[in-house]
Amino acid sequence: MSFVLFLVFSFFAFAKSEITAYYNPNCGCCNSYFSKLEREGFRIKRVKVSNEELDKIKNQLSVPLNLRSCHTMVYQGRFIEGHVPPEGVRLALGEKSIKGVASPHGVKSGRGGYEDKYEVVR
């Protein structure tokens, strides 16, 4: 029973946590991805930035060059890069020992969907 309560509490804690999403408004897939996450219960604060500003944010967060995507989301100093599936986003929100999670851009990303896998960056 206590495990079930932990899961319920964790879900509501994450749902109340706001994730800041930096993106270039010229990208067609970002808003679709953000909307899908919102339907999963995540709160997304959308911030439009230029490509130069986005690169600065990625550099500040030490997002590896080979994992960079069209947008970067940030939660308490941890990054969520690309179209990470909900379970990866939950990991980034809860696991303070990592730098972030990332999903390389793929076919599903181009349509605003979640990629099947993600990488944890420590």
Side-chain angles (χ1 to χ4, degrees):
M1 178 69 170
S2 62
F3 180 70
V4 172
L5 289 174
F6 171 76
L7 288 177
V8 170
F9 175 76
S10 296
F11 173 78
F12 286 111
F14 292 148
K16 293 180 184 225
S17 302
E18 186 172 72
I19 302 167
T20 303
Y22 298 98
Y23 72 104
N24 185 305
N26 295 321
C27 180
C29 66
C30 295
N31 278 310
S32 176
Y33 172 69
F34 302 152
S35 293
K36 286 182 183 201
L37 286 177
E38 289 168 336
R39 286 192 295 274
E40 291 280 339
F42 296 101
R43 289 184 51 224
I44 310 292
K45 176 184 175 186
R46 301 171 194 211
V47 180
K48 296 176 185 177
V49 295
S50 68
N51 286 334
E52 294 79 19
E53 291 171 307
L54 191 55
D55 283 340
K56 286 179 186 177
I57 292 165
K58 292 174 191 293
N59 289 337
Q60 290 170 347
L61 294 167
S62 300
V63 177
L65 290 174
N66 63 320
L67 297 177
R68 293 186 178 193
S69 186
C70 55
H71 63 266
T72 300
M73 298 190 302
V74 181
Y75 178 76
Q76 294 187 353
R78 294 182 295 281
F79 64 82
I80 302 159
E81 184 73 14
H83 292 238
V84 176
E87 61 271 14
V89 175
R90 286 185 194 95
L91 177 71
L93 269 58
E95 183 59 51
K96 294 180 180 177
S97 67
I98 64 173
K99 289 183 181 178
V101 294
S103 283
H105 230 291
V107 174
K108 293 180 181 181
S109 309
R111 296 183 303 226
Y114 306 128
E115 289 301 328
D116 293 328
K117 57 187 175 179
Y118 60 92
E119 185 173 326
V120 176
V121 180
R122 298 196 181 276

